[in-house]
Amino acid sequence: MTEKILIIDFGSQYTQLIARRVRECEVYCEIHPYNKIPQLTPDIKGIILSGSPASVRDEEGPRVDVEKLIAAKPVLGVCYGAQLMAQTFGGLVEKSNVREYGRAMLQITNKEDRLFAEVNNNCQVWMSHGDTIKNVGEKFEIIASSETVEVAAYRSKADAFTNPVYALQFHPEVYHSSEGSKILSNFLFGVCGCSHKWTSASFVEETVKHLKQQIGNEKVILGLSGGVDSSVAALLLEEAIGDNLLCIFVDNGLLRKNEFETVMSKYEEMGLNVVGVRADNRFLSELKGVTDPEKKRKVIGRVFIEVFEHEAHKHPEVKWLAQGTIYPDVIESVSVKGPSATIKSHHNVGGLPDILKLKIVEPLRNLFKDEVRKAGKELGLVPEILYRHPFPGPGLAVRIIGDIDHEKVRILQEADHIFIENLKKFGLYNEVWQAGAILTPIKSVGVMGDERTYENMVALRAVNSTDGMTADWSHLPYEFLARTSNEIINHVKGVNRVVYDISSKPPATIEWE
């Protein structure tokens, strides 16, 4: 039985970050919305109550049975969670009349407490709340303050409850809390008694064992994309069921230059049972005249389902459909606010199981993106795929602004290839989180030799990020940009101007469409 921490989500933008920090401590955790709390089973070692954009002073604010939780497990309340516990047990929470947002210095009043073991006094923490705790109630005592916040942290008094209770008014999970990870670690190991069991090796071992039991001797079909998620899912399944896994890799005509051949060879080197399907003409034919980005996605999603369905029907013995769903997708589907209102169409292949009458298996549904890479490394996934930059599901369709045809795909593939290869030559590829070229709908005047030209403008985009939620433009060297621009203009027929996108996310997005 895998021990775990239960994170109860009240809608905070930081809830996933709490989970990531817990996982970094090699402790498994799960996020559940406050209105869908699972049974408090023995494998749950502790509970963390998240923050929230709501106020505990609002009668309509999210609530849970705090007394029941505390009676069952050790509890840590963060921000809203801290305020909710104080209010529940006779404390006082009021609207703050001083600024309580941003950096603050933590003044630890009880340095002997296990939550602050080896945590430096006056370390930096991140505050983000509109309400403040004026009184913690009789069952608690203050263990840390800041210059403007008296109750920055508190704990339950001895024998007040069956299990220890802690609360933080600041956010230990964010980067700005310099020793937040240490504080969370102290809660996990010093308070809850967790052990370091959630590793990539243990995940691979347990998942392979589970897949063998779940699937038995039945056959599974999986659509590969060339990306890390589907590739790691394939390796896990191959480890569990061997040749009973059939992989389908579809060339939609919107991949990078030579990507279909390169990735197919890598999959074959890895020993995967993979079938390559050339469908580029079909996709590009269906996309003719389509300019709206969302319509592009819908066309690509529909045609992919049709192609995949056609291939799958050649193998009536298949009983399972494998998907590369990862944990953020799972969280979003059961979030406090409900499923996302704008799920990208190219990820929406949910119709496949119904069409194919197949059972679903999702080997990665408990992993964050960085954990997928760690599992892939454990499984021996080739570096070319393991460290490959994220690539949009619709491929180059959303990097060609406007309508799409074979000539535009050729131009973009050639320009993108020069850009990516130069990143590798300059040793910059692994320093950048995601990079790619965009074919803009803009043409401009140029001079090549003695001739006037009127050709396309290509934009280069490179960003640094950890999870794609926010991103900063990569400060690539001028020498690199100059050489890349020169090579694209000289070698890619149809391009006479190159620009570099220096927009960050937000307010811009990483992709242009």
Side-chain angles (χ1 to χ4, degrees):
M1 184 186 302
T2 302
E3 63 181 26
K4 62 186 174 186
I5 293 293
L6 175 63
I7 301 173
I8 298 179
D9 181 23
F10 293 108
S12 170
Q13 61 178 322
Y14 299 133
T15 302
Q16 283 197 37
L17 197 50
I18 297 175
R20 290 174 68 88
R21 294 289 177 261
V22 172
R23 297 278 186 94
E24 286 170 3
C25 293
E26 297 182 339
V27 175
Y28 179 66
C29 63
E30 292 180 358
I31 297 173
H32 291 270
Y34 74 92
N35 53 359
K36 295 181 182 178
I37 299 176
Q39 184 179 354
L40 301 178
T41 51
D43 57 331
I44 296 174
K45 303 288 285 185
I47 298 171
I48 298 177
L49 306 181
S50 84
S52 174
S55 169
V56 297
R57 298 180 296 106
D58 185 351
E59 291 184 4
E60 302 300 319
R63 296 285 192 275
V64 293
D65 188 341
V66 175
E67 294 188 54
K68 178 181 177 182
L69 299 179
I70 291 175
K73 308 288 177 181
V75 174
L76 172 67
V78 175
C79 199
Y80 181 90
Q83 295 166 1
L84 181 60
M85 288 196 297
Q87 185 185 69
T88 299
F89 293 101
L92 178 62
V93 178
E94 293 183 346
K95 184 174 179 60
S96 177
N97 56 10
V98 296
R99 183 178 183 273
E100 296 185 6
Y101 178 84
R103 295 172 175 82
M105 307 310 292
L106 190 68
Q107 298 163 8
I108 302 172
T109 55
N110 188 337
K111 298 176 184 177
E112 303 301 316
D113 191 273
R114 52 186 168 177
L115 192 70
F116 294 131
E118 299 181 16
V119 173
N120 291 313
N121 196 22
N122 289 316
C123 64
Q124 178 180 283
V125 295
W126 184 261
M127 299 283 186
S128 179
H129 54 273
D131 292 340
T132 191
I133 303 170
K134 291 293 187 181
N135 188 306
V136 296
E138 295 182 357
K139 293 181 177 291
F140 301 111
E141 58 187 358
I142 299 170
I143 55 174
S145 304
S146 74
E147 184 177 345
T148 58
V149 179
E150 181 185 4
V151 185
Y154 66 85
R155 72 174 183 188
S156 55
K157 293 179 179 177
D159 302 323
F161 304 106
T162 306
N163 293 293
V165 178
Y166 284 89
L168 305 173
Q169 182 60 87
F170 58 90
H171 288 272
E173 69 274 19
V174 302
Y175 170 80
H176 306 293
S177 292
S178 60
E179 298 192 49
S181 292
K182 181 61 182 174
I183 294 170
L184 285 172
S185 175
N186 286 340
F187 176 72
L188 298 174
F189 303 112
V191 178
C192 299
C194 294
S195 54
H196 298 268
K197 292 184 177 180
W198 180 249
T199 64
S200 55
S202 67
F203 167 78
V204 169
E205 181 181 353
E206 291 179 19
T207 301
V208 169
K209 180 180 178 182
H210 175 72
L211 289 171
K212 287 179 178 178
Q213 295 171 344
Q214 183 182 15
I215 297 168
N217 199 38
E218 295 182 329
K219 294 188 180 296
V220 178
I221 193 168
L222 167 67
L224 289 169
S225 68
V228 64
D229 295 345
S230 64
S231 300
V232 173
L235 287 181
L236 283 167
L237 286 160
E238 197 271 339
E239 185 84 9
I241 63 174
D243 288 340
N244 279 343
L245 171 67
L246 172 65
C247 300
I248 307 293
F249 183 33
V250 177
D251 179 8
N252 61 9
L254 299 162
L255 303 175
R256 282 181 158 138
K257 182 180 179 181
N258 301 327
E259 184 172 15
F260 182 76
E261 295 83 2
T262 302
V263 172
M264 277 294 293
S265 68
K266 294 299 178 185
Y267 283 146
E268 289 166 357
E269 286 176 20
M270 290 155 53
L272 292 176
N273 179 21
V274 57
V275 174
V277 180
R278 293 279 195 180
D280 50 331
N281 288 331
R282 180 171 179 181
F283 277 88
L284 292 179
S285 175
E286 294 275 359
L287 285 166
K288 185 177 181 180
V290 179
T291 59
D292 180 80
E294 184 61 13
K295 288 182 180 178
K296 289 180 185 177
R297 290 185 171 93
K298 288 181 178 178
V299 169
I300 293 168
R302 172 178 58 78
V303 177
F304 175 80
I305 288 175
E306 291 170 358
V307 171
F308 194 89
E309 179 188 4
H310 177 75
E311 291 299 317
H313 281 154
K314 296 178 182 178
H315 305 275
E317 72 279 7
V318 170
K319 303 297 181 185
W320 294 82
L321 173 67
Q323 295 185 326
T325 308
I326 61 175
Y327 197 46
D329 303 324
V330 176
I331 296 168
E332 180 175 300
S333 68
V334 294
S335 71
V336 170
K337 300 173 184 177
S340 172
T342 54
I343 298 172
K344 289 183 179 178
S345 299
H346 64 278
H347 286 152
N348 186 12
V349 293
L352 269 175
D354 294 332
I355 293 170
L356 300 175
K357 309 298 182 194
L358 299 178
K359 296 176 282 187
I360 296 292
V361 57
E362 298 172 317
L364 306 177
R365 66 178 285 111
N366 292 326
L367 296 190
F368 286 103
K369 190 76 172 186
D370 56 330
E371 294 174 317
V372 174
R373 292 192 191 279
K374 290 177 183 177
K377 186 175 182 180
E378 184 72 25
L379 288 159
L381 181 60
V382 293
E384 293 90 338
I385 296 178
L386 182 63
Y387 299 112
R388 181 177 181 257
H389 287 179
F391 190 63
L396 300 181
V398 292
R399 292 183 179 176
I400 297 174
I401 311 303
D403 64 323
I404 300 169
D405 58 34
H406 284 278
E407 177 61 10
K408 290 181 179 179
V409 171
R410 180 199 66 79
I411 291 172
L412 185 55
Q413 284 180 332
E414 295 291 343
D416 181 82
H417 181 71
I418 292 171
F419 184 29
I420 297 301
E421 289 304 303
N422 277 351
L423 283 171
K424 293 175 180 177
K425 289 175 185 176
F426 275 69
L428 297 169
Y429 185 81
N430 291 331
E431 303 298 317
V432 171
W433 191 75
Q434 183 173 344
I438 297 95
L439 181 61
T440 76
I442 300 170
K443 288 192 173 185
S444 65
V445 175
V447 178
M448 292 181 136
D450 294 326
E451 295 183 1
R452 176 183 180 276
T453 63
Y454 188 64
E455 293 180 334
N456 297 282
M457 182 177 80
V458 164
L460 304 181
R461 180 76 159 140
V463 298
N464 292 337
S465 181
T466 55
D467 53 16
M469 299 301 292
T470 61
D472 190 22
W473 62 277
S474 300
H475 295 231
L476 299 177
Y478 291 151
E479 179 189 356
F480 166 83
L481 292 172
R483 175 170 166 177
T484 301
S485 173
N486 188 57
E487 286 188 21
I488 290 173
I489 292 171
N490 286 337
H491 293 92
V492 182
K493 184 179 179 181
V495 177
N496 69 354
R497 191 177 298 268
V498 175
V499 298
Y500 186 52
D501 182 348
I502 59 169
S503 310
S504 294
K505 177 185 179 182
T509 54
I510 295 175
E511 299 294 340
W512 279 33
E513 287 192 342

